[in-house]
């Protein structure tokens, strides 16, 4: 099985994401597919022997959407072009809307009512054809497959209001004028499109902020490398670098690939940047590990792609290149995590899957109720109420509530050197009530600077342990050491509960015992002997400098050695989950309150007021943008 994050083009709401997800999961060879509306991606696990990416793309194209699977097709360029087109349509739509408003409000004087209505007809038609074409094209494409989404609601509401207005405008030309005494509402069809497009533009801008962490990670890798070729230095594209090549890096530059230090230059050659005599090679790895301290490098030390030469210069042998570098793996892991779904999102997905058909039925019931109760005189109100219900209930806010918060939360974690593998882990971290530490490599590290290497406690470990205890979390240590050594390190770290001479099975047994006592258990380790316990824990955390096996099993990886990031991860989990619940609450409440107001329920209680289509479109756009902006508050801490 392979797992890939594939960009999706053409989604307008949570209903679209549900449609794409359903079609992907129905394909033979696809084990699972999860579509993230906010990230515009599909996280797909599939058997490449049974189905190819191109076959997936063809199936999704038939459903009215598109997957970007071609290597020569730039997602960034597609998004830029789409944003430019959207911005153009917003500008034109606002110009037409202001022109129509000026005529309707009498700012542009037209004494002849027929000429005024016919002028508004032309303006509204131009707005539908140019600015609103995407709504109708998408709605018709989905209709052919028996599916609906937000575009269906927008297309239907604008079409109904426009056609009714056109009938009011031109029917008197063929009937007795006295038989047609209703007023047109072209403004509604124009402003619905204007506000919805404006909302999408603002939403897109805000979502770009939510995904800024990924763009920052992608921007870490340089485009070129200084390749050592005998006595010559050649500047070459990093795509040409192969394992075994020798690369020179200088102060202020970024490492282009992963590798091992082969030479630290003590004297600066001619033309070198930096590199004074006796100047050590110091790398700034803060964007990778979240730790602000720079790391001096010696012969044989690891260098990671994207880290910056803070001081000195040196040469190193390339080992991992391209998609195999630690930076590429981080980007891939963050993308997959942002594309995954938290358990709380299942509620929103179930609602979104039936939301649009339900609103269509409510809109029809609303219009029939007004018409049957009030007769022909209430026909305009029946149509206005139906249109308002269609517009106000667009499920954008509901679809954005969870994924935008997850995108920001997981991106924020990555900036702190915390790699979260999936959304479930981020949600479960907040529930941690007991945490088990492996000792060697997790709480302690080997001090090689002393005359003889010496098992030492990592900096800030006591502070990190105390911080966990202050949060009411029970802290345990498991060590393979004998009783005396285990007791010593437990005391040094400030841990009250410990076990000595622990085998892998003992660590798993402790996880199971604590779970049986009702604890939500997190396990943190770095070795192969920790993998059993990591797999059994509710949340598994691996140290980034540990074994690959431990990192593969773990749901969370700490890239640095500062254990204080564990509390950062737990706090971030709490804030992210709280933000998701806030977003979902307001998205649900928004519809619960606004749909009756749009349907005209206040009239039943003697209040001469309801939400008009124009106000409905503005509120709908505001609700989507507010959810994204609320999620962006996570970046402030």
């Amino acid at each position: 099985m392979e797992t890939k994050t594939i960009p999706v083009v053409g989604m307008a709401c949570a209903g679209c994401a549900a449609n794409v997800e359903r079609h992907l999961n129905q394909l033979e060879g696809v084990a699972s597919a999860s579509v993230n509306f906010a990230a515009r991606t599909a996280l797909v696990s599939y058997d490449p022997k049974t189905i190819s990416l191109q076959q997936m793309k063809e199936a999704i194209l038939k459903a009215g959407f598109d997957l970007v699977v071609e290597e020569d097709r730039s997602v960034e360029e597609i998004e830029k072009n789409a944003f430019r087109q959207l911005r153009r349509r917003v500008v034109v739509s606002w110009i037409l809307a202001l022109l129509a408003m000026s005529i309707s409000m009498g700012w542009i004087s037209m004494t002849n009512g027929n000429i005024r209505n016919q002028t508004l007809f032309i303006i509204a038609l131009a707005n539908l054809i140019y600015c609103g074409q995407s709504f109708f094209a998408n709605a018709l494409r989905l209709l052919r497959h028996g599916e609906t989404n937000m575009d269906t609601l927008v297309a239907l509401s604008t079409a109904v209001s426009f056609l009714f207005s056109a009938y009011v405008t031109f029917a008197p030309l063929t009937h007795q004028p006295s038989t047609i005494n209703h007023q047109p509402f072209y403004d509604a069809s124009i402003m619905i499109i204007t506000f919805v497009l404006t909302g999408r533009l603002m939403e897109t801008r805000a979502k770009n902020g939510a995904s800024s962490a990924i763009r920052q990670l992608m921007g870490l890798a340089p485009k070129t490398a200084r390749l050592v070729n005998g006595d010559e230095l050649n500047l070459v594209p990093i795509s040409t670098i192969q394992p075994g090549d020798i690369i020179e890096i200088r102060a202020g530059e970024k490492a282009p690939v992963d590798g091992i230090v082969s030479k630290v230059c003590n004297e600066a050659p001619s033309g070198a940047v930096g590199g004074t005599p006796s100047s050590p090679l110091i790398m700034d790895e803060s964007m990778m590990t979240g730790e602000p301290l720079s790391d001096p490098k010696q012969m044989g030390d690891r260098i990671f792609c994207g880290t910056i030469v803070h001081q000195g210069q040196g040469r190193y042998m390339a080992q991992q290149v391209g998609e195999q570098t630690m930076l590429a793996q981080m980007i891939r892991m963050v993308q997959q995590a942002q594309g995954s779904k938290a358990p709380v999102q299942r509620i929103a997905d179930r609602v979104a899957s039936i939301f649009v058909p339900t609103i269509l039925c409510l809109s029809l019931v609303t219009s029939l109720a007004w018409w049957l109760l009030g007769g022909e005189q209430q026909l305009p109100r029946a149509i206005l109420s139906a249109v308002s219900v269609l517009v106000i209930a667009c499920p954008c806010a509901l679809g954005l509530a969870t994924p935008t918060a997850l995108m920001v939360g997981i991106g924020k974690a990555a900036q702190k050197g915390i790699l979260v593998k999936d959304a479930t882990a981020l949600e479960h971290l907040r529930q941690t009530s007991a945490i088990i530490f492996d000792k060697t490599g997790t709480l302690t590290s080997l001090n090689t600077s002393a005359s003889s290497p010496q098992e030492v406690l990592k900096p800030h470990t006591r502070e990190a342990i105390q911080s966990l205890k202050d949060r009411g979390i029970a802290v345990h240590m498991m060590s393979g050491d004998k009783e005396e050594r285990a007791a010593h390190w437990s005391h040094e770290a400030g841990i009250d509960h410990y076990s000595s001479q622990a085998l892998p099975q003992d660590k798993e047994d402790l996880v199971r015992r604590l779970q049986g006592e009702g604890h939500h258990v997190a396990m943190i380790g770095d070795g192969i002997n920790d993998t059993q316990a990591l797999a059994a824990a509710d949340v598994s955390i691996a140290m980034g400098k540990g074994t690959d096996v431990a990192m593969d099993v773990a749901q969370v990886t700490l890239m640095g050695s500062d254990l204080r990031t564990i509390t950062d991860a737990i706090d971030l989990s709490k804030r992210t989950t709280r933000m998701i619940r806030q977003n979902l609450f307001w998205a649900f409440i928004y519809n619960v309150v606004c749909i009756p107001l749009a349907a005209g329920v206040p009239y039943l209680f003697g209040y001469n007021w309801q939400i008009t289509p124009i106000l409905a479109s503005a509120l709908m756009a505001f609700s989507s943008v507010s959810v994204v902006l609320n999620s962006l508050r996570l970046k402030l801490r």
Side-chain angles (χ1 to χ4, degrees), residues 30-52:
V30 174
S32 65
S34 174
V35 178
N36 187 320
F37 168 52
R40 300 290 199 268
T41 59
L43 181 62
V44 185
S45 295
Y46 68 102
D47 182 1
K49 296 179 181 178
T50 306
I51 188 170
S52 66

Side-chain angles (χ1 to χ4, degrees), residues 432-433 435 462-475 494 496 567 570-571 574:
T432 300
S433 60
I435 187 166
R462 287 187 65 91
E463 182 182 345
I465 299 300
Q466 187 59 48
S467 180
L468 290 169
K469 292 164 71 173
D470 290 344
R471 286 165 171 75
I473 298 174
V475 182
D496 300 324
T567 54
I570 293 173
D571 292 345
K574 291 179 179 178

